[in-house]
Amino acid sequence: MTQDGKLVLAGAPIGQVGDVSPRLRQVLESADVIAAEDTRRLRRLATELGAEITGRVVSYYDNNEAGRAQELVETLKDGRTVVIITDAGMPGVSDPGYRLTHLAVEAGITVTALPGPSAVTTALAISGLPSDRFCFEGFPPRKPGERARRLGALAAEERTMVFFEAPHRLASSLAAMAEAFGATRPAAVCRELTKTYEEVRRGGLAELAAWAEAGVKGEITVVVAGHTAAAGEPDIEDLVAEVDRRTEAGTQRKQAVADVAKEAGIPKRELYDAVHRRSLTP
């Protein structure tokens, strides 16, 4: 059965209210239901846009997303228009939105988007790093061990990588990236994009980690250059073989990996993962 309901993913400003689509006011005024990550921020945004909200406003955030999505999809099946709006940027991009979108698609309900600003593409564009191919990795894991494993798996990623990070974890994340990707891997830290105190710091990962140690505030997006094979770069299999030779001579494997990686100028994690894979090969 054809459904008359419609789900609208509405892009919210990441800083300047004037950057959003002029259609946002119309969409907010005409929606039957608005699912907002923060209802107070929605009210402030509506006031700044001069929009009069007449529909029902419900909260829709990480902790209630699963249950609320089930409720909202029933509303959509009744032929209503539901708008999802998060605190900033596009719903579903490291923000609530995916679950309801998935359920709506499964139910055959029309899903559309009201395009708006995105910290991902804004940071990528102004980073000065290659932007023809990129991947978005969201927030790195909070726990150091999980973060090291995730970043280690990305050490050979050739596309430019974009991350979000909380300001109080920025220094430790940049240090972990320097460990996984190499101290001099080019990167850019974009802070408070489009806002009054917008700042972009560019440099090697170790340099940026040292800068962040003093403390950083605001919304953070990190852009990191992808891996590029330098001329004359040693073959990873040759380096694994060198680690094997040193361990057979009595050096502990962890120390052998660290020494060989440093001498070759590659991230220690990249070599460790290669050694680990070799140990699993029959």
Side-chain angles (χ1 to χ4, degrees), residues 23-43:
R23 290 174 50 214
L24 182 58
R25 173 181 172 179
Q26 175 188 347
V27 166
L28 293 178
E29 290 183 330
S30 62
D32 296 304
V33 178
I34 302 175
E37 184 177 13
D38 186 323
T39 57
R40 291 171 299 178
R41 287 197 183 191
L42 169 64
R43 299 290 186 186

Side-chain angles (χ1 to χ4, degrees), residues 104-227:
V105 170
E106 283 193 330
I109 293 166
T110 299
V111 178
T112 187
L114 179 63
S118 168
V120 176
T121 51
T122 301
L124 177 69
I126 67 175
S127 68
L129 299 172
S131 57
D132 53 336
R133 297 176 66 242
F134 74 96
C135 59
F136 174 58
E137 290 294 327
F139 285 88
R142 297 183 181 187
K143 295 181 178 179
E146 293 178 8
R147 182 173 58 197
R149 286 190 290 274
R150 175 77 61 80
L151 296 176
L154 293 170
E157 173 60 63
E158 296 180 352
R159 295 171 294 179
T160 298
M161 295 168 283
V162 183
F163 301 85
F164 287 160
E165 188 51 287
H168 63 281
R169 290 195 297 269
L170 179 62
S172 60
S173 280
L174 289 171
M177 290 177 187
E179 177 72 19
F181 305 150
T184 60
R185 178 79 70 91
V189 176
C190 304
R191 187 180 72 85
E192 294 290 88
L193 288 170
T194 80
K195 300 177 184 177
T196 302
Y197 297 104
E198 175 180 288
E199 180 182 18
V200 180
R201 298 281 300 206
R202 303 175 179 88
L205 283 168
E207 175 189 349
L208 291 172
W211 161 75
E213 283 289 346
V216 179
K217 295 181 179 180
E219 300 288 336
I220 305 293
T221 307
V222 180
V223 186
V224 182
H227 172 76

